[in-house]
Amino acid sequence: MSVSEHPVALTIEQRVGGATMLLATVMALPLLDGLFVALLLAGTLATPVGMLETGLLVFGGSATVAVILAELDESRRSMVRSVLLIGAGLIPLAALQAVIAPTIESALELAIFQRFAGVVILAIAARTVSAKVSDYLPSPGVIILLGLLASVRPSALTVELVVDGELLARAAITAAIGVGFALAVALAAPALRGVVDLDRFRFGSAVALGVFALPVVGVLNTDAPIALAVLVVSGLLAYSPDGGDEPEQDAEEPPESATETDYAPEDTARAPWL
C-alpha cells in the first residue's frame, strides 16, 4: 500500500517533499496545529495510561506506520537514524509547549475548551477514515481556534512564566513514547512489510481515536484504557501474513492448452517434449 491511500498522510505529502520530511511532519503535526497543547490543558496527560494512549495515537498512529512501511525505502539503520533525528526535535518542542500551557490555561474556561479538544480528536479520526470527510470538516487548528475564542477569559490572563516540572516531564515522556513507537516500527519494518494490512490498521486506529476522545468530551467517564485496547486489537487484526501470497495453482489441473491424452500414462514415454 502506498501512503497515498492514507488521507492524512496524502494531504501532508502534497505539501512536503521526501519521505523523511513527510514522517517528521506527520509526527510533529500535533505540535504544529495545537492539538498537543489542547490535550495538555484538557488533562489527558494526567495519568500514565493517558500518556501512553496520547503517545501511541497522537504522535504514533496509522499515519506514522503508513509512512514508515510504505514510503521509507531505506536501510534499517537509515530509518532508525531518521526517527532518532525527528525525536531529537520533537521531544524538546513538546516540553516547550508544556512550559507555555499554564499561561494559556489561566485565560481559559477549561470546561468549555476541553470539549473542543475532544471534538478535534473526533475530527482527526473522521479524516483518518476518509479523504472525502476532510472536504467537509474544518482543520484541527481551526477547531482549536474556535475553542479558544469560545472559552477565553482575557481578564483572568496571568502573564507569568510558571515552569511545572511534572507537566514538562509528562509532555516529554509522551512525545518519547510516540518516538519509541516509530522507532519500533522502523526496526521491524523489513518483517512487517507485506504482512500488515495498513487499511485495517488505519480504520482500527480511527476507532481508537474516537474512543480516546469520548472521555475528553465528557461522554465516557472512565480511566480504563479502552482506546489502548482497541489499538492493540486493531494491530492484531491488521496482521495478515498470508495477505500477499499468490494463490497456488492446483497441481492436478492441467494447463488450458493440454488435453487428456497429453497426460495419459501410456503416452508419457513417447511424448517428444518430455
Side-chain angles (χ1 to χ4, degrees):
M1 168 186 167
S2 171
V3 73
S4 61
E5 296 180 37
H6 193 290
V8 176
L10 172 61
T11 303
I12 300 173
E13 186 182 27
Q14 294 171 344
R15 301 176 182 177
V16 301
T20 302
M21 183 60 69
L22 175 61
L23 178 61
T25 307
V26 165
M27 296 186 67
L29 194 60
L31 301 174
L32 300 176
D33 61 15
L35 175 59
F36 187 63
V37 171
L39 294 177
L40 279 171
L41 298 178
T44 307
L45 275 60
T47 64
V49 171
M51 294 165 57
L52 183 61
E53 290 179 337
T54 302
L56 294 178
L57 290 171
V58 176
F59 288 108
S62 59
T64 297
V65 174
V67 173
I68 293 176
L69 296 186
E71 294 296 314
L72 282 182
D73 298 327
E74 305 174 354
S75 66
R76 182 180 297 175
R77 178 177 298 180
S78 297
M79 287 190 294
V80 169
R81 188 185 300 114
S82 298
V83 172
L84 291 177
L85 184 61
I86 293 170
L90 195 70
I91 296 174
L93 185 56
L96 178 61
Q97 294 196 354
V99 172
I100 65 174
T103 302
I104 300 175
E105 182 180 5
S106 66
L108 298 179
E109 183 66 43
L110 288 182
I112 298 175
F113 185 76
Q114 182 173 346
R115 286 169 173 77
F116 276 90
V119 171
V120 170
I121 302 174
L122 290 174
I124 293 174
R127 290 159 64 95
T128 300
V129 172
S130 173
K132 293 182 179 180
V133 176
S134 302
D135 298 333
Y136 304 98
L137 291 178
S139 66
V142 172
I143 299 176
I144 292 174
L145 180 60
L146 293 175
L148 289 172
L149 294 176
S151 58
V152 66
R153 299 179 303 168
S155 60
L157 177 63
T158 303
V159 183
E160 182 180 357
L161 186 61
V162 179
V163 179
D164 187 338
E166 182 179 354
L167 183 63
L168 191 151
R170 289 182 180 276
I173 293 173
T174 301
I177 290 173
V179 174
F181 174 75
L183 187 61
V185 175
L187 288 171
L192 292 178
R193 289 192 180 103
V195 299
V196 173
D197 190 319
L198 294 180
D199 278 333
R200 288 184 192 174
F201 187 69
R202 173 165 58 91
F203 281 104
S205 297
V207 174
L209 272 173
V211 174
F212 177 61
L214 296 181
V216 181
V217 176
V219 175
L220 183 65
N221 187 14
T222 179
D223 293 330
I226 301 177
L228 184 60
V230 173
L231 182 65
V232 171
V233 172
S234 301
L236 294 176
L237 294 177
Y239 182 69
S240 179
D242 299 327
D245 293 342
E246 295 290 337
E248 295 183 1
Q249 184 179 5
D250 191 348
E252 298 179 359
E253 182 180 351
E256 294 180 359
S257 60
T259 63
E260 294 182 359
T261 56
D262 292 333
Y263 290 86
E266 60 271 20
D267 292 343
T268 302
R270 61 176 181 270
W273 57 83
L274 296 180

